[in-house]
Amino acid sequence: MKTFYGIGIGPGDPELLTLKALRVIKESSIIFVPASKGKSLAKEIVKGHLMGKKIIELNFPMGEENKFNYKEAAKIINEVFRDIDVACFLTLGDPLTYSTFIYLYREINKFGIKVEIIPGVTSYNAAFSKIKLPFAVKNESVLITDKNIELDKVNDIDKIIFLKANNKKEIIKKLKEKGFKNYYIKRCTLDGEKILMDEEDIEKDEDYLALIISIRE
Amino acid sequence: MKTFYGIGIGPGDPELLTLKALRVIKESSIIFVPASKGKSLAKEIVKGHLMGKKIIELNFPMGEENKFNYKEAAKIINEVFRDIDVACFLTLGDPLTYSTFIYLYREINKFGIKVEIIPGVTSYNAAFSKIKLPFAVKNESVLITDKNIELDKVNDIDKIIFLKANNKKEIIKKLKEKGFKNYYIKRCTLDGEKILMDEEDIEKDEDYLALIISIRE
């Protein structure tokens, strides 16, 4: 049966691809990749497995709203699907975690195409493996967010993970006051990976692929 | 350099192992696996890659406190390490997410052994790929917990994931009142996988490998 796969390729290290992701990439006649300004990090990460494959780049500028693009991209995928049985879309990390794929999936669904999703290793799980501290132990709660939450309500929460955090300075200041220790991890498992803990260094950094892990002390 | 690896093998589907996990398993002279009542699910999941490998089962009854066992296990690992360079411990899901490995890691550290951690696909990310709903989209917050949190404080939270939840009946009742829809996923990506939504069915089920996903409607 014709199937379109949303594939999580993990945080960046090509070795953090799953065996399932690799198999489906190999089985796909056409591989769609998200691109921004003519570059596709997803394609770069799996480049070792793309020999002889037809790749179609879909333009989704990172960090921007792309409603029109999702509709257009779904149309292109639907047209391609007339002639083939298996295709996939690659997504950094996990396909259902703050990803472009979610919006694309909703549009593809409207065409009645069968979609399967292959989960991937998230950037934050990889980040914890780098700082070598637990994401959670027994009786702990973790909040994952991409917005400036009301920090008065975090009394029960042991760790907070900020993905794509905009207002880093304010977040870090408030969490420090509340007794949290902050780790800033950029480009986790990619070239240029850095773990920053100095507040000024964190404020200065402007990498899009960065997250903050705040741990109650 | 001598290195001990904590390896996340993913939620259960042997294909959700990462390429890195597979490489390190193959490079390891000895593979430690957690066992409970003489059975090791972790060993079962990777059995296709264990040909000719020396396996040592460490007994950690699931869901119980095991302080003594961690110390004993770390002693065994330290003794083994006199003679070899690479060994690993396999853990379901991710090694730093509510896992046995975290406690073992703390004990191994005391012996000065170099430890590296390979992140894995979590059960809850796999569960979202099965119900085909987003873990999070832009401007959403997700809480991950294994305890009965104070649900009065969840106003800002869009999704709650209960891992190893004890008081299912109460959790589900309260969340329903607060406008959440509940999905119970057991044995995700394993034989016997089931998604339950009927409250009575959920209450009756007693599988240890189960989680609840609550989504604000």
Side-chain angles (χ1 to χ4, degrees), chain B residues 85-163:
Chain B
D85 286 331
V86 180
C88 64
F89 179 83
L90 306 184
T91 183
L92 269 169
D94 174 73
L96 295 171
T97 302
Y98 297 107
S99 77
T100 295
F101 175 73
I102 297 163
Y103 304 98
L104 182 62
Y105 172 46
R106 289 174 179 165
E107 296 299 328
I108 294 171
N109 246 344
K110 295 177 187 168
F111 290 107
I113 294 169
K114 187 191 170 199
V115 177
E116 293 290 343
I117 296 158
I118 301 175
V121 174
T122 61
S123 59
Y124 61 83
N125 281 134
F128 276 99
S129 79
K130 295 290 180 166
I131 62 171
K132 294 184 179 173
L133 292 170
F135 171 84
V137 296
K138 203 172 160 64
N139 286 319
E140 281 190 344
S141 297
V142 182
L143 184 72
I144 300 171
T145 188
D146 69 341
K147 62 182 174 182
N148 294 358
I149 53 151
E150 289 181 50
L151 292 168
D152 303 331
K153 292 180 181 164
V154 301
N155 290 334
D156 278 355
I157 292 167
D158 303 283
K159 277 150 206 160
I160 307 177
I161 298 158
F162 291 94
L163 301 170

Side-chain angles (χ1 to χ4, degrees), chain A residues 25-168:
Chain A
I25 287 170
K26 290 189 171 173
E27 285 173 9
S28 293
S29 306
I30 295 176
I31 295 162
F32 292 92
V33 295
S36 183
K37 293 173 188 166
K39 284 188 187 172
S40 172
L41 181 55
K43 189 171 87 173
E44 184 65 22
I45 290 166
V46 303
K47 67 182 177 193
H49 311 291
L50 297 180
M51 176 89 90
K53 289 287 175 191
K54 186 172 177 187
I55 317 290
I56 297 178
E57 293 191 4
L58 299 171
N59 198 43
F60 302 111
M62 271 186 166
E64 289 175 26
E65 295 287 346
N66 296 294
K67 275 188 189 168
F68 177 74
N69 294 28
Y70 299 125
K71 276 192 197 304
E72 278 300 300
K75 260 191 207 169
I76 294 168
I77 290 167
N78 188 46
E79 277 165 28
V80 161
F81 245 63
R82 284 181 200 151
D83 308 319
I84 62 168
D85 286 331
V86 179
C88 65
F89 179 82
L90 306 183
T91 185
L92 270 169
D94 174 72
L96 294 172
T97 302
Y98 298 105
S99 78
T100 297
F101 175 73
I102 297 163
Y103 303 99
L104 181 61
Y105 172 47
R106 288 174 179 167
E107 296 299 329
I108 295 171
N109 247 344
K110 294 176 186 167
F111 290 107
I113 294 168
K114 187 191 170 199
V115 177
E116 293 290 343
I117 297 159
I118 301 175
V121 174
T122 61
S123 58
Y124 62 82
N125 281 133
F128 276 98
S129 79
K130 294 290 179 166
I131 64 171
K132 293 183 181 175
L133 292 170
F135 170 86
V137 297
K138 203 172 160 65
N139 286 320
E140 281 190 344
S141 298
V142 182
L143 185 71
I144 300 172
T145 189
D146 68 341
K147 61 183 176 183
N148 294 356
I149 53 151
E150 290 181 49
L151 291 169
D152 302 332
K153 293 180 180 163
V154 301
N155 290 334
D156 277 356
I157 293 168
D158 304 283
K159 277 149 206 161
I160 307 177
I161 298 159
F162 292 93
L163 300 169
K164 301 169 188 174
N166 289 315
N167 200 343
K168 289 182 295 197

Side-chain angles (χ1 to χ4, degrees), chain B residues 10-11 21 26 35 43 53 91 98 101 119 134 208:
Chain B
K26 290 189 171 173
K43 188 171 87 173
K53 289 287 175 194
T91 183
Y98 297 107
F101 175 73
Y208 180 78

